[in-house]
Amino acid sequence: MRRAAHDERGSALVELTWLGILLLIPLLWIVVSVFDVQRGAFAVSGAARAAGRAYALAPDDAEGRRRADAAARQALADQGVHGVPLSVRISCTPYPADCHSGTSVITVHIASRVDLPLLPDVLGGGAPSFALDATHTVPIGQFQEIEHAG
C-alpha cells in the first residue's frame, strides 16, 4: 500500500503542466485573434477616412475614385493589413452624377476582411475570416473651398 503512494509522487505536477499547456494554447490563440481583428477594424476605419478625404480633394469624380482606392489601400498597408480583399463604394447626395459640385456630401463605404490566424481551411470552406466594414461621410466643402459664381 505504501509502495503505490510512493509511485504517484510528482504526477500531479506533470498533470498540472499538461493541463496548463492545453489551456494556454487556445487562450493565446483567442488573444492573437482579437488583436488581429482589432488591427483590421482600425485599418478599415482609417481607410474610410483617408478615402473620403482623398475623394473630396480630387479635382473631379474619376480622379477622386482613383485617389480614394489608393488612399484606402495605403491606409490598410500602414496598419499591416496586406493581401485582403478591399471594396470601396462611393456615393454622393444630392448630386449623384457630380460629387464635386455645390454642397454634395460624399459617403465612402469600405468593406474588407481579416483572416483568423493559425487556422487552416480544415472544413474546405476556406480559412475562417472576420468581415469588417466602415463608413465615412465628408461634406465636399470640408476640405476645399468652393468657388461661387457671381
Side-chain angles (χ1 to χ4, degrees):
M1 191 112 161
R2 195 173 225 285
R3 184 176 187 149
H6 181 64
D7 293 339
E8 300 271 330
R9 267 192 230 170
S11 66
L13 181 61
V14 172
E15 291 170 7
L16 185 62
T17 301
W18 279 110
L19 185 62
I21 290 171
L22 290 175
L23 292 176
L24 184 63
I25 289 173
L27 182 64
L28 183 62
W29 178 81
I30 289 170
V31 169
V32 169
S33 295
V34 166
F35 286 151
D36 275 358
V37 170
Q38 181 61 36
R39 178 183 54 186
F42 186 71
V44 168
S45 176
R49 283 192 311 274
R53 290 180 187 135
Y55 193 91
L57 289 171
D60 57 37
D61 291 352
E63 180 64 21
R65 177 72 184 168
R66 283 190 291 279
R67 289 183 184 183
D69 284 337
R73 290 197 185 284
Q74 184 62 47
L76 290 177
D78 287 347
Q79 296 303 319
V81 179
H82 303 283
V84 296
L86 175 65
S87 168
V88 179
R89 203 176 50 205
I90 300 169
S91 61
C92 304
T93 55
Y95 309 108
D98 186 11
C99 292
H100 286 84
S101 65
T103 57
S104 285
V105 176
I106 300 165
T107 302
V108 177
H109 181 82
I110 302 285
S112 187
R113 70 162 203 237
V114 172
D115 292 332
L116 296 180
L118 305 174
L119 281 182
D121 49 352
V122 177
L123 302 175
S129 63
F130 199 89
L132 301 167
D133 65 80
T135 302
H136 186 68
T137 302
V138 180
I140 193 66
Q142 184 173 354
F143 294 111
Q144 68 184 27
E145 185 176 331
I146 302 293
E147 294 183 30
H148 297 283

